[in-house]
Amino acid sequence: MNRINQKLQENKKLLSIYFTAGYPNLDDTAPIIQDLEKNGVDMIEIGLPFSDPLADGPTIQASSTQALKNGMTTKVLFEQLKDIRKTVKIPLIIMGYFNPIFQYGVEAFCEKCKEIGIDGLIIPDLPVDVYHEKYQAIFEKYGLINVFLITPQTSDDRIKYIDSISNGFIYMVSSASTTGAQSGFGNVQTQYFKRIADMRLKNPQIIGFGISNNDTFTQATQYAKGAIIGSAFVKHVTHEGIKTINKFVNSILN
């Protein structure tokens, strides 16, 4: 069974952390992953930096720009992760835009992911219909879960369609904006969380965008299986370096 599915079966609310590969420094990728697992994170999204990150707010955009300047590429990332499964057991997901994956070769990319122990992909700009028609068979051949995003504007019919071709979790974007931390969720967002929960989808939902502290994590996981934190973590390593990851994770979970 895929590690993502195993993790989703655990009787707890899940914390997933996103960070940009190759940031703050090129060789920080593996140490960050190892440290996050050691401090109780359930799942990790490894951001593959791209020059035009449409869904990302200023914090993650800046980290992507710096990572590219540091020399991060798809090939470098795969090299950095080639031995990661010797030390890390939790699910690892690569989050990135379709262009670098397409340039690498979709099947070659998926094959490499399987080889190094990646469990899934999140590709915000790959339309679900295109995935279903052209790439689903390739992903399944290499045991990869493709995670789709839904927003408050996604229609019920579309959500049901996404649910029908998903086999892991659905990434529930908390608002229609780009990524970024916020202080709390308003009534409109809470109603949206509740509406999706009431749909009783077959795939659990994990909420991302706008989660930055224990309050927003608790609010989000009241309605979903887990929550994803990206910008707040990237800000933390920007200002405090990678030696105090335990402090950040503790502030979310406790």
Side-chain angles (χ1 to χ4, degrees):
M1 186 190 281
N2 186 293
R3 291 179 196 89
I4 295 170
N5 297 121
Q6 287 176 334
K7 183 58 74 173
L8 291 167
Q9 288 181 358
E10 292 182 13
N11 186 26
K12 62 179 290 203
K13 298 297 186 179
L14 304 180
L15 171 61
S16 181
I17 296 276
Y18 167 96
F19 77 99
T20 305
Y23 180 84
N25 300 297
L26 184 62
D27 294 329
D28 287 339
T29 310
I32 287 175
I33 293 169
Q34 289 156 348
D35 226 9
L36 285 170
E37 180 180 52
K38 194 170 73 184
N39 286 289
V41 168
D42 296 293
M43 222 161 12
I44 298 171
E45 290 173 23
I46 304 157
L48 179 59
F50 181 53
S51 53
D52 300 295
L54 302 176
D56 296 321
T59 301
I60 291 175
Q61 278 196 19
S63 69
S64 286
T65 301
Q66 187 56 52
L68 292 169
K69 281 184 188 160
N70 291 345
M72 179 50 69
T73 64
T74 307
K75 197 174 168 198
V76 168
L77 177 60
F78 284 147
E79 185 61 29
Q80 289 180 346
L81 297 179
K82 71 179 194 300
D83 295 321
I84 199 70
R85 285 299 173 197
K86 290 180 180 172
T87 54
V88 172
K89 304 254 185 309
I90 61 172
L92 299 176
I93 298 169
I94 290 179
M95 182 168 187
Y97 293 88
F98 189 58
N99 187 287
I101 297 168
F102 186 74
Q103 297 289 336
Y104 193 90
V106 176
E107 180 145 10
F109 189 93
C110 291
E111 187 175 14
K112 197 71 183 169
C113 284
K114 181 179 182 184
E115 185 188 306
I116 62 179
I118 297 297
D119 304 291
L121 298 173
I122 301 172
I123 311 167
D125 60 341
L126 176 59
V128 60
D129 318 74
V130 176
Y131 165 76
H132 186 43
E133 287 163 27
K134 290 191 171 180
Y135 303 114
Q136 186 169 357
I138 297 172
F139 278 56
E140 289 174 354
K141 177 180 172 183
Y142 295 103
L144 292 170
I145 285 174
N146 194 26
V147 177
F148 295 102
L149 284 72
I150 62 169
T151 75
Q153 283 67 44
T154 310
S155 70
D156 284 5
D157 284 348
R158 190 75 170 164
I159 290 168
K160 286 172 186 166
Y161 174 59
I162 286 170
D163 189 44
S164 73
I165 67 162
S166 296
N167 60 346
F169 66 90
I170 291 172
Y171 189 133
M172 206 168 138
V173 176
S174 66
S175 70
S177 63
T178 54
T179 56
Q182 60 189 55
S183 57
F185 294 116
N187 193 43
V188 173
Q189 284 166 310
T190 305
Q191 287 301 317
Y192 158 60
F193 297 161
K194 190 174 183 314
R195 175 172 73 84
I196 303 301
D198 289 345
M199 286 179 76
R200 303 274 181 247
L201 302 172
K202 75 178 173 79
N203 292 278
Q205 300 89 58
I206 297 185
I207 297 175
F209 290 42
I211 295 158
S212 59
N213 52 32
N214 180 263
D215 284 349
T216 41
F217 178 77
T218 305
Q219 262 185 297
T221 52
Q222 192 180 335
Y223 298 98
K225 177 64 179 171
I228 298 159
I229 297 178
S231 297
F233 179 70
V234 172
K235 268 186 192 154
H236 178 85
V237 297
T238 301
H239 298 302
E240 302 203 30
I242 68 167
K243 300 289 186 203
T244 59
I245 285 174
N246 62 323
K247 183 174 143 189
F248 180 83
V249 177
N250 285 337
S251 75
I252 304 299
L253 294 177
N254 302 310

